[in-house]
Amino acid sequence: MAKSTKSQWDGFSLKPRKEMPKGLWVKCPGCEQTLFQKAVTENMDVCPQCNYHFRVSADARIKYLADEGTFEQILANLVTADPLDFSYKGTKYKERAKAAEKTAFGKEAILVGKAFIKGRAVMLAVMDFNFLGGSMGAVVGEKLVAATEKAIEESLPLVVVSASGGARMHEGVVSLGQMAKTSAALAKLDDSGGLFISVLTDPTTGGVTASFAMLGDVIIAEPQALIGFAGPRTIYQTIKIELPEGFQRSEFLLEHGFIDMIVHRKDLRSEIARLIDYCGKKS
Ligand SMILES: [Zn+2]
């Protein structure tokens, strides 16, 4: 009798499996479940199981916040002049900024323009973490100031959605100067009786937290967002004190009076519209 050549592996392929199409599934960092990407996107990039708020791109943020098709962007083509002619690890900052345009929605870490939120006209500024970590350089500062001045001129509420790693170190002291520049413009908005609603999303840190993000008349945060100035390790190395877990999250900050409210992403539009009406800034 001929020996059977059939092995237990017949029918199994040793070829590598086809990769799962990119972006079809996503693992939730909150509940660690594997989720269907489409279900997450349709839920405003919030986990349907545990409400974990994923970071969103600037275009998605505008889509979730503004009335459809109402965002009219200004200064869309403003790009950095690279004041220090800066290079890092052999790559020029200007080249990095150019490359960042591919991962981000626009040409810089912030998009500003006029929009409507539930029928209320606003000046809207949305930061984009996909552009060099949402860092604030001269262009971010300039665009934010332009939005603030327009809000004063047209007597519109200013809504700024932050998502930032802080000041852009590629621009050195020029980036730090934006902290004072944006704060001064917001003081003028305040003097004119204008309304500034600041929305903090994950993450809002460094020079952005230390300037305009914390100057809102009303400060809203998304659930569980990382909000702080320096990171826990830097704080420990500086003051040699271990701070409690979660001390830089929205919930802790609300409990300690640093922010006014925590709002789920799906409720942001209604809450902002309600605040505008409450403050008498309905256009
Ligand atoms: Zn989850």
Side-chain angles (χ1 to χ4, degrees):
M1 198 174 137
K3 204 180 165 191
S4 170
T5 53
K6 202 169 168 62
S7 90
Q8 59 171 323
W9 298 109
D10 282 356
F12 286 84
S13 169
L14 292 177
K15 282 184 198 158
R17 284 185 195 190
K18 270 189 188 164
E19 269 189 20
M20 189 70 75
K22 258 197 183 129
L24 191 56
W25 299 96
V26 61
K27 194 171 182 186
C28 172
C31 62
E32 302 203 325
Q33 287 203 46
T34 304
L35 307 162
F36 194 31
Q37 174 71 64
K38 197 165 168 248
V40 177
T41 309
E42 281 170 0
N43 200 36
M44 292 187 162
D45 289 302
V46 175
C47 172
Q49 307 292 332
C50 74
N51 274 330
Y52 176 85
H53 283 51
F54 286 85
R55 288 177 187 172
V56 297
S57 57
D59 54 328
R61 177 64 68 182
I62 291 164
K63 194 172 118 194
Y64 299 154
L65 212 50
D67 297 350
E68 200 181 342
T70 61
F71 183 66
E72 288 173 26
Q73 198 182 167
I74 56 165
L75 302 175
N77 294 317
L78 215 56
V79 293
T80 179
D82 186 12
L84 304 182
D85 192 19
F86 189 78
S87 287
Y88 178 64
K89 289 187 179 169
T91 313
K92 281 189 152 302
Y93 162 43
K94 263 200 167 170
E95 285 165 22
R96 278 176 194 269
K98 192 79 198 150
E101 287 181 23
K102 292 191 185 94
T103 54
F105 178 68
K107 291 186 171 180
E108 253 295 342
I110 197 166
L111 271 67
V112 299
K114 200 169 161 178
F116 283 82
I117 296 177
K118 286 207 151 195
R120 283 85 172 162
V122 298
M123 277 312 293
L124 179 64
V126 170
M127 298 195 80
D128 193 342
F129 194 77
N130 294 327
F131 192 100
L132 298 178
S135 52
M136 172 165 64
V139 173
V140 169
E142 182 61 27
K143 285 171 93 169
L144 199 53
V145 167
T148 308
E149 283 172 351
K150 204 112 181 110
I152 298 170
E153 213 177 286
E154 299 190 23
S155 197
L156 295 173
L158 174 69
V159 178
V160 179
V161 183
S162 294
S164 175
R168 188 174 300 166
M169 288 305 134
H170 312 69
E171 294 186 18
V173 76
V174 176
S175 74
L176 298 181
Q178 307 311 311
M179 294 168 66
K181 179 170 159 166
T182 52
S183 301
L186 288 167
K188 281 190 197 158
L189 175 68
D190 193 47
D191 288 345
S192 75
L195 171 65
F196 170 31
I197 299 174
S198 180
V199 182
L200 315 180
T201 72
D202 185 69
T204 298
T205 59
V208 166
T209 310
S211 61
F212 65 85
M214 281 298 183
L215 293 174
D217 295 303
V218 184
I219 304 177
I220 303 173
E222 285 194 333
Q224 283 289 311
L226 174 74
I227 301 159
F229 181 58
R233 217 173 348 162
T234 314
I235 294 173
Y236 179 75
Q237 282 163 0
T238 312
I239 62 173
K240 307 286 176 213
I241 294 171
E242 200 93 55
L243 289 160
E245 211 186 308
F247 77 99
Q248 288 178 318
R249 295 282 166 186
S250 309
E251 292 69 16
F252 187 93
L253 295 180
L254 179 69
E255 212 180 302
H256 293 82
F258 279 88
I259 58 172
D260 298 303
M261 58 180 87
I262 296 172
V263 178
H264 191 290
R265 193 169 290 158
K266 71 173 164 48
D267 298 324
L268 266 180
R269 273 167 56 78
S270 320
E271 198 54 49
I272 291 171
R274 192 185 68 82
L275 286 167
I276 292 170
D277 293 352
Y278 183 76
C279 297
K281 284 284 161 188
K282 198 171 169 183
S283 294

